[in-house]
Structures are given as structure tokens and as C-alpha cells.
Amino acid sequence: MATSSERSPPPFPDSEDQDVLDAEEVRGRDSDEDEDLFGMTEMDTTPTSDVSMKPPSDIMNDPLIEPMIKADVTVEATIDRSEVTAGVIDPLSQQEAKQTSTAPVIDLSGDSQPVTSKIADPLVALFSDAPPAAEAKKPSSANVDLFDDEEGSDIFAEPLQTKPAKQPQKSLFGEPDEDVFGEPLGAISKKPVPKDKPADIFSQAAASTPSVTSTVNPKTNGVHSEEDGDIFAEATVELSLDSPRNERKKEATAKPSAPAPTSLPAAASLAKPQPPALEEVRDGMNAYMAYKVSTQTTLPMFRNKTFTVRRRFSDFLGLYEKLSEKHGPNGFIVPPPPEKSLLGMTKVKVGKEDSSSTDFVERRRGALERYLQRVVNHPSLLQDPDVREFLEREELPRAVSTQALSGAGFLKMINKATDAVSKMTIKMNESDVWFEEKLQEVESADQQFRKLHALVESLVVHRKELSLNTASFAKSAAMLGSAEDNTALSRALSQLAEVEDKMEQLHQEQAASDTFTFAEMIADYIRLLVGFFPHRKCEFCDLQGSFDHRMKAWQRWQDAQSMLQKKRETEAKLLWANKPDKLQLAKEEIAEWEAKVTQYERDFERVSATVRKEVIRFEREKTKNCKRQVITYLECLLQSQQQLIKYWEAFLPEAKAIA
Amino acid sequence: MTSIDENSKEKLRSVSVDLNHDASLLIDIPDALCERDKVKFTVHTKTTLSSFQKPDFSVPRQHEDFIWLHDTLVETEDYAGLIIPPAPPKPDFDSPRDKMHKLGEGEATMTKEEYTKMKQELEAEYLAVFKKTVQVHEVFLQRLSSHPVLSKDRNFQIFLEYDQDLSVRRKNAKEMFGGFFKNMVKSADEVLISGVKEVDDFFEQEKTFLLDYYSKIKDSTAKAEKMTRAHKNIADDYIHISATLNSLAADDMTANKKNLEKLSDLFEKFRKVEGRVASDQDLKLTELLRYYMRDIQAAKDLLYRRARALADYENSNKALDKARLKSKDIPQAEEHQRQCLQKFDKLSESGKKELTSFKGRRVVAFRKNFIEMAELEIKHAKNSVALLQGCIELLKSN
């Protein structure tokens, strides 16, 4: 600029060209995206249909199990009928009945409750909806137990709501699911048809019973390929079964402005989001903030329709711990709570009544509320007994393990995990392009969101500055007005001061909206490491978590494979050395490991399918949530601009009156 | 070469000084050129006055020439009773230059698009500063030309007409000693003079008013500047946010992509509106306050000169008393006393007129700018409302 060549700044070069370019790019991207979406949906449908194909084959294959399933189905059918009378449209419920009937079967083949739990959800709901039926079913629950599965017994035990019943379950849940998988497998492998059996299920799933599948599945498939219904492919089931009764509401007392996610299908179960109200328990440095969690629900699995409990921050962390331990390994995305912040909390504890600590508390309250919303919005997590306990139970045993989460902060931990994940990625030669792409997307989005968050924070800082500066100008203008000796001008100046005073208010409110709506939304996303908008946010850290779990499953599979390889080599050596006694043992070992390899491979595929579904679910919800949040934010901006117009329009005649 | 066309100049004219548009002497600065630290203005004059050789002519002038002209006028005894229009402030391109420098350093952290936008923004800012500079210089000359007495000043006419470099004339005493010495003398004087008892109520009132008003308007100017800058910062934040949203949208493969793009687009438009709010506030409010701050300083200078004349008169009275006591040099002292009184009376009379007209001028200028500012604020806010409504509708319909 200093040199003569810079003298004349070019008049805003090619801004229009850029616009045009942008538009073009947008179009380009759009089409890309469409293709992509389709690609994903296709992929998505495959696993689902797989899953749903399994059951029939199973039914045919396994005479032992079959009657059991039948029993299951009939029970459901009766429940279904009761549902129908309760107002669910007939055909729908029947389809659901079919669908649900597949659920237990999947349970069997998958041997694991969490994977199926999405599909099983309606089941659970059904059972809890109709306690008598469930009770009638009780004897059979023993059978269910055979296969699996804590959840089975859980389901049935739940309606009774006995606390002692819950305690043992918890310990069961605490166990990593490997055991669950390992044992039944081992058992199976000792049976006459050991190795082939699982494989069989799969191969037959693919080929043998297409007709059955087609009758059972058209709905599912259709739903999956459709954009809208898709989001809640699982939730749809839940919705149609539950929605007439399960108007589960969390109701806000403190923040009525919180947007009701009624547009979501899941809103059937969640009508009003509701902030934990605050209550402070002071006891020196042992002081803590207690959050009131009020729940409004029509879900029959709760004892009351409305109830309120007091929870402290560590309880929220404890809930997360429990959930992620249980559901994480299966590829579910467990929403993470906000991170601990020693600094912020200490300030609050010390009792500094400055705006930063109020901000802090409000931010945390909002984050906790969104965290709970996300948990109860998740069809599987909602069914978790710990969630119920958290919402309902008066006294919660003090969470101990969460202490480890304090201090350095959650985000850092997550970062470490991210690093670990990427390291693992290198080891794992990713055969699935979809996952590879997703992981990359997640990582780059994470970076961008962090940047965006920093930017919005600086916007908040600047807005607050503006508010301060406006306030001081307002004061100054008022002073100038008092010094002015022309009456009309003096009046106009003090009017201007008033306008600027109101402006200051507007800026302040806008800064709050920037903070609580915009920045917090992004912070949430970052917490979830994946996304921009709320859902993806939560998914972010969790998404990576679930990728991580998927990789672990893969690792286990690979390890088993190499072990099998070793055993085979040993066998070959033994054969060579001609040691028949040991050979027998070796053969047994090989058989065992072959079974394990198959099992682990299946686990891996199962986890992959779940992760994939979860990711897709999240992306859809993210889009919706993002939109909603953004609209809320923009409406706030809009309001402040409209106020601004009013203020200046009121000022205009004053200015004109100066003579 | 930065040329400013008439239109943009009209729009930019923020400081309205109630100039009686006497067609006999019309001055403008159609062109200016920024070279290193020097700004060369082309001063164009159109006149029907016979005191000029030609009816239409242009001369190149630098900022220092304007200062010279101002100082010369201030020191002319005959103009002691007038408010000498305040000298234009030194062109200051440091702030946009610093920012440009910083931007260059931070280039790596930004996307190309972001950088381009920031650069554009800075260029616009630079251009605005440049235009403002030209404008204050122009206003200074126009106020001189519209003043019945000052427009006849010989030095002023030389300034307008002499087509060679004016710098030969520059080496006069005031400039050699610089402002520092002058200010020292003045403030010492002020202390001295404050002891003088005011004889005229009008001036006593004016003095209190102007002193008070000056400190207030100075404060307001500083605060308004800060406020304007805060607006600018927000506009800059919007640029970055928009760019980041855009790159997020580029990576996003889900349906969210469109939402992000729209949002990015909105912020991009928003920053333009916000930028305009900032620059209009700067022109209509901050510049107004700044100009009248300097104008009030000029009025204060007038009061100071009058106070000095009063002090001189009183001293001459004392001298006359002494002379009478000693019966020595009485006629000389009488003559001196008479001159001082005459000078003081003349100064008081024209000062009163000047101050009264100054008051009227100020009120008119404030009125005009306030109205324009309110209208612009409404216009921008309405723009924002339309943008927001459009975006919300788009999002909702999707």
C-alpha cells in the first residue's frame, strides 16, 4: 500500500465471479452428496437385510431353538393385539409383530443383546407395556437366559422394578461381552456340528430362505431406502409401538424456550427437553452443584409420570461410564457428558458471583441437559436400566470411578483416544472404504469444528466488547447531552444515549445467544468429536469411540486367526513327528480356534453393522438438530435486528426535531 | 493513483459544515495521490473573483501545505477574533497497514478464500481512510472559501493559485519550533490568563461551556471510535466463521451440507452489512464528533486569544497608571492602552458573532448526521432482517 503501485486498491476484485463459482461448486457437491447418500443407504440396507435374513434361517435350522422363538413370537403377538386395541393401526402392528419376531431370533444368532437391542427395543417396550403378558412369559425367560443374556432376564425383571433384581444385573453388565460370546461358542463347539454351525447361519441367511425374508422384510428394506423414515428405521418400530402411550416428556422448568424436538420421530418419546434445574449444596470446598433432573413420561416402565431427582455432576459422568462400558464395545455411540472443569467449578465454589461463573454454570447445565436428551433419544440407551435408575431413583450410589475423569479434562483424554485410534488405523488395513471415509470425515470435521468454536468464542468476546463500548458511549453521549446548550440537540443526544443503552442490551443478549446457542452447540459437537450440529457432536467423540471398538473387534479376530495359524502349524509338525497322542489335542485346539475365528469375525461384522447404522442415524439426527439449532440462533439474531429497527425508528423523529 | 469520483465524495461527506455556497469561489479536491507517507492532493479552484488570474485552475498540495496555511492564518493578528477552521489531521494509514502486515503473517492459518476476503476488507478500509483524509482537507479549504473574511486572505489565495511547490514558504518560525514549543507557551499563558477576571458574561458562559463541552465530546469521540471498531471486529469474525462453515460444508457429505452452506452464505452477507454498519457509524457519528472536537478546540483558541487581549489591555491599564504616577511617558501609555482596548473590543465583537454562528452550524450538522445515521441504521437492520428471514425460510422449507 505504501508504494505507488498499491496506491489504488483494486475495487473488490471478482467477488461476483466467486459467487458464481461457489454456486457451481455447491451444485457439484450436491450431486456428489446425493450419490453418496444412496451409496450409504445401500450399504446400510445390506447389513439390515442380513440381520433380518438370519432369523428365518435360524428358525429352520435350529430345531432346538425354534420352539422357543415361536413362544416368543406368540407372546409378542398377544401383546401386539393388546397394542392394536390400544389404537395402533392393524397392518402396521402386524408388520411390527413380524419384525419384532425376528428380534429374538437375531438375538440367538448374534448371541449378544446389545446389537439387537435396537430391534429388541420394541420388544422391551412391549413387555413393559404389558406387564401381565411379561409375567406370563416368565417361565420362558429362563430359556432366554440360556442363550444369552442378561438383557433377557432384565427385560422381564424390569416391570417388577425391584431393586435387588437390578443389582446383580449390574454386575453382569459390568462384564465385558467377550465372555458372553466366548462361552456359548465354546459350548457350541463341543456339539457335533461345531464349526459349521455359525457359518451355516450366515450362508443360509444369504441363500436358503429368500422367500421368507422377502415377506418379513419388505418393510424394513423399504424404510431403509427411504430418506425420511430411514432416520429411525429402528425408531419407527419404536415409534409405532410406543408412541400412542409412550409420550415421554422431560419438562423444562427453568428454560421454557428450549426447543421441543417434536419434529423428530423420537419425539414420540421425548416431547419437551428439560433442563436440570440448579441447586447448590454448599459445604466449604466440598460444596457441589446439584442438578434437578425432572422427567415427564408416559412410558410405563417408569413408576410415575413425573418425577424429579437430584444429581450431581459426577453422577452424570458415572452414567456415561456405565453406558459406554456396556454399549461401547458393541459399536453404539454413547453420548458423552460435558467435561469436568476444575477451574470453572472452583470459581463457582469459591462463590465468585461474577458473570464468568454464572456463564459457566449455565453452560454446564445446558450441556448436561442436552446430554440427557441425547441419551433418552437413543432407542437402545433409553432401555438401559441404568438410565432409568438415573432418572428415577432417589439416591444413587456415589460414583467413584469418575474421579479419574476430573482434572485434565475430558477433551484431552478424547484427543489421546483419537491418536490411539489413528495409530490403530494404520495397523488395520481397512477393507471397508465406507469406514475409512467416515473416519477421515470425522477427523477433518473435528478440526474444523474446533476452529469454528474458537472463532465463535472470539465473536462472543468481540460482541461483549461491543456491548461494553456501546454502554460507555451511551454514558458519554448522555454527558454530552447534558453539556449541550441547545435544548433540542441536548434532548436528541440524551435520546441517542438511550438508544445506545438499549443497543447495549441487544448486544449483550446477542452475546449470550452466541454463547449458549451457537458456541455451545459447537462445543457439544466437538465433545462428540464428530460433528457440527448437536447430534453429530455427541457422535464425535463417541463415533471415534465406536470406530475404536470396531477396530478392537477386528484385532481380536485377526489375533484369533494368527493363533489358528499357529495351531495348524503345530499340528503339521506333530503330524510330521508322528505323535498321535498330542495330535488329538492339537486337533481339538484347532477346532476350538476355528470356532473362535468364526465367532470373532461375526462379532466384527456385527459391530461394523451397528457402527454403520449408528453413524447413519447420527448423521440424520445431526442434520435435523443442526437445522433446528441454527434456526433458533438465527431467530434470535432476527429478533435483535427487529428491535434495533424499532429503536432507531423511534429515534428518527427526535433527530428531525433538532432545530 | 486513488481518484475519488464525485458520487462517492457526495456520499462520504459526513461532516456538514454549513457552507454558504457562494459561487464566486468553489474549491474541491478531485484527485489525490498517496506516495509513501506523503499524500498529494490536487486542489481545484473555480472562481469569478478578479483577484485570481484565471477562473479555473488546479495546483498540487501536500498535507504540510495545509498546515502551513492554517498556522499562518492563526498567527495573523487581524484574524484573532475569528474561529480559524481546524487544520486537517495528518493522514494516518498506519492502522490498515499494520493490519495488512498482520494478515500477511497469518496467511498460512487461513484458507485462500478467507485470506482474499480479509484482504478485500482491508483494502476497503484503507480506501475509506483515504477518502476521509481527502475529505477533511477539502472541508478545511471550503470553510475558508465560504468565510467572508478568510476567503480574502492573501496567503489563502497564494495557496490556491501558486502553481509551484509551496515548500519554499514553509521555513517560518512556528514550523521550525514545532508544535511542542508553541503548546508550552500557550498552556503557560493559559494559567496566567485564567487569573484575569472576565468582564463579559457572554464570554464567561462560553468559556465554561466550551471547556466542559470539549472534554465531553473528546470522551464521546474516543468511545464512539471504540464502538465502531468493535463493530468492525464482529464483521471480521463473520468472515472467518463463514469461511470455516464453508470448508465444513465442503467436507460434509450428509444432508447437513446444504444447511452449512446456507449458513456460511448468510454469514458472508452478514459481514458485509455489519461492515457497512461499522463504516457508516464511523462516518456519521465518529467523524462528526471528531470534527467538532477540533472545531471546539478552534473556538477555544479564539477565547484564548481574546483572553490574552484582555490581559494585554489590563496590563496596559496598569502601565498607564504607573506612568501617571511617575508622570512619565503618559501619552505613549495612553496610546498603548487605547490600542489594546480597541483590539480587545474588536476581538470581542467578532468573537461573539463567530461563536454564535458556530453554535448554529454545530446544531445543523448534528441534526443532519443524526438523521442520516438513524436512516442508515434502519436500512442496514432491515437488510439483515430480510437476509435472516430468507435464510430461516430456506432452512425450514428444506
Side-chain angles (χ1 to χ4, degrees), chain A residues 542-654:
Chain A
D542 282 329
L543 206 50
Q544 295 205 333
S546 52
F547 281 156
D548 192 9
H549 287 306
R550 179 173 165 270
M551 245 163 292
K552 274 186 200 144
W554 184 82
Q555 199 65 43
R556 210 163 52 216
W557 173 34
Q558 296 301 311
D559 287 349
Q561 244 175 0
S562 62
M563 187 57 116
L564 177 62
Q565 193 59 36
K566 263 185 225 157
K567 297 283 176 202
R568 282 199 173 126
E569 276 163 21
T570 323
E571 189 203 19
K573 270 182 210 156
L574 288 172
L575 211 60
W576 182 256
N578 198 13
K579 287 181 180 164
D581 47 334
K582 284 186 185 169
L583 199 63
Q584 185 51 37
L585 190 68
K587 272 193 175 135
E588 271 172 30
E589 270 181 356
I590 289 176
E592 192 186 323
W593 278 100
E594 271 171 348
K596 273 189 191 166
V597 167
T598 326
Q599 174 63 35
Y600 289 157
E601 185 180 359
R602 236 171 20 163
D603 285 352
F604 171 67
E605 274 163 16
R606 180 176 49 75
V607 172
S608 296
T610 314
V611 170
R612 191 182 288 226
K613 259 194 265 176
E614 285 280 281
V615 168
I616 289 171
R617 185 182 102 92
F618 268 131
E619 282 178 347
R620 298 222 168 91
E621 285 202 20
K622 173 196 77 184
T623 306
K624 281 204 169 182
N625 273 307
C626 151
K627 207 161 102 177
R628 206 179 52 222
Q629 290 260 22
V630 166
I631 289 178
T632 316
Y633 177 65
L634 294 185
E635 274 168 351
C636 183
L637 269 174
L638 180 68
Q639 249 184 349
S640 89
Q641 291 293 328
Q642 278 165 340
Q643 280 304 111
L644 204 135
I645 295 179
K646 260 197 229 159
Y647 295 151
W648 282 113
E649 274 175 349
F651 175 71
L652 201 51
E654 293 289 342

Side-chain angles (χ1 to χ4, degrees), chain A residues 1-2 7 29 33 444 455 458 462-463 472 476 483-485 532-533 536 626-627 635 656 658, chain B residues 2 34 126 209 213 219-220 237 244 251-254 256-257 260-261 359 362 367 395-396 398:
Chain A
M1 221 176 300
R7 242 177 275 141
R29 274 181 220 133
E33 180 212 358
S444 84
L455 288 173
S458 105
H462 285 150
R463 190 95 71 185
S472 59
S476 184
E484 174 62 59
D485 58 358
F532 191 14
F533 292 93
R536 196 149 172 201
C626 151
K627 207 161 102 177
E635 274 168 351
K656 284 182 175 157
I658 303 173
Chain B
T2 306
C34 181
Y126 173 69
F209 167 71
Y213 203 77
D219 183 57
S220 293
D237 285 338
T244 310
D251 289 346
D252 201 309
M253 290 307 156
T254 64
N256 210 13
K257 187 192 190 73
L260 290 175
E261 274 166 359
K359 199 164 284 179
R362 192 183 69 227
R367 176 175 193 270
L395 283 174
K396 277 185 177 164
N398 241 322

Side-chain angles (χ1 to χ4, degrees), chain B residues 47 87 142-143 160 242 252 261 322 349 378:
Chain B
T47 181
Q142 284 168 344
R143 268 193 65 186
L160 292 176
S242 164
D252 201 309
E261 274 166 359
K322 238 187 226 170
E349 192 194 342
I378 292 169

Side-chain angles (χ1 to χ4, degrees), chain A residues 1-4 6-10 12-13 15 18 22 26 29-30 33 36-37 40 438 441 444-445 448-449 451-452 455-456 458-459 462-463 465-466 469-470 472-473 476-477 479-480 482-486 489 492-493 496 500 507 518 532-533 536 619 622-623 626-627 630-631 633-635 637-638 641-642 644-645 648-649 651-652 655-659, chain B residues 1-2 33-36 96-97 100 109 113-114 116 120 123-124 126-127 206 209 212-213 216-217 219-220 223-224 226-227 230-231 233-234 237-238 240-241 244-261 263 266-267 270 285 289 359 362-363 366-367 370-371 373-375 377-378 381-382 384-385 388-389 391-392 395-396 398:
Chain A
M1 221 176 300
T3 67
S4 54
E6 282 168 311
R7 242 177 275 141
S8 49
F12 307 96
S15 61
Q18 267 179 354
D22 278 356
V26 171
R29 274 181 220 133
D30 276 354
E33 180 212 358
D36 237 277
L37 262 179
M40 273 195 280
K438 276 293 155 205
E441 254 179 66
S444 84
Q448 298 281 6
F449 273 112
K451 189 180 166 197
L452 189 63
L455 288 173
V456 176
S458 105
L459 175 67
H462 285 150
R463 190 95 71 185
E465 250 172 50
L466 175 62
N469 291 338
T470 310
S472 59
F473 174 71
S476 184
M479 297 292 283
L480 187 64
S482 69
E484 174 62 59
D485 58 358
N486 180 297
L489 182 53
L493 277 168
L496 178 68
E500 295 292 353
H507 294 317
F518 203 31
F532 191 14
F533 292 93
R536 196 149 172 201
E619 282 178 347
K622 173 196 77 184
T623 306
C626 151
K627 207 161 102 177
V630 166
I631 289 178
Y633 177 65
L634 294 185
E635 274 168 351
L637 269 174
L638 180 68
Q641 291 293 328
Q642 278 165 340
L644 204 135
I645 295 179
W648 282 113
E649 274 175 349
F651 175 71
L652 201 51
K656 284 182 175 157
I658 303 173
Chain B
M1 163 119 27
T2 306
L33 198 137
C34 181
E35 223 168 49
R36 298 265 156 203
R97 260 180 210 157
M100 192 61 107
T109 64
E113 203 187 343
E114 213 173 338
T116 319
Q120 274 175 28
E123 280 163 358
Y126 173 69
L127 195 65
E206 274 305 300
F209 167 71
D212 182 35
Y213 203 77
K216 302 252 159 83
I217 203 170
D219 183 57
S220 293
K223 300 279 160 64
K226 271 190 177 174
M227 187 170 75
H231 267 295
N233 283 339
I234 288 176
D237 285 338
Y238 283 161
H240 295 299
I241 289 176
T244 310
L245 281 172
N246 210 359
S247 39
L248 260 175
D251 289 346
D252 201 309
M253 290 307 156
T254 64
N256 210 13
K257 187 192 190 73
K258 277 181 201 151
N259 294 343
L260 290 175
E261 274 166 359
L263 201 60
L266 177 79
F267 273 110
F270 238 53
L285 186 65
L289 293 172
K359 199 164 284 179
R362 192 183 69 227
V363 171
F366 271 76
R367 176 175 193 270
F370 280 178
I371 292 173
M373 181 172 75
E375 278 166 353
E377 291 273 3
I378 292 169
K382 278 185 175 160
S384 306
V385 166
L388 284 166
Q389 274 169 344
C391 190
I392 290 173
L395 283 174
K396 277 185 177 164
N398 241 322

Side-chain angles (χ1 to χ4, degrees), chain B residues 62-111:
Chain B
Q62 292 184 18
H63 171 71
E64 287 68 22
D65 301 327
F66 286 80
I67 301 299
W68 166 82
L69 177 62
H70 175 259
D71 289 349
T72 316
L73 293 174
V74 167
E75 278 167 23
T76 310
E77 280 287 303
D78 291 347
Y79 305 149
L82 305 177
I83 296 178
I84 309 295
K90 196 171 159 34
D92 179 17
F93 298 117
D94 285 350
S95 128
R97 260 180 210 157
D98 282 355
K99 277 196 198 161
M100 192 61 107
H101 188 66
K102 253 186 230 157
L103 181 69
E105 281 171 350
E107 191 179 350
T109 64
M110 276 177 258
T111 64

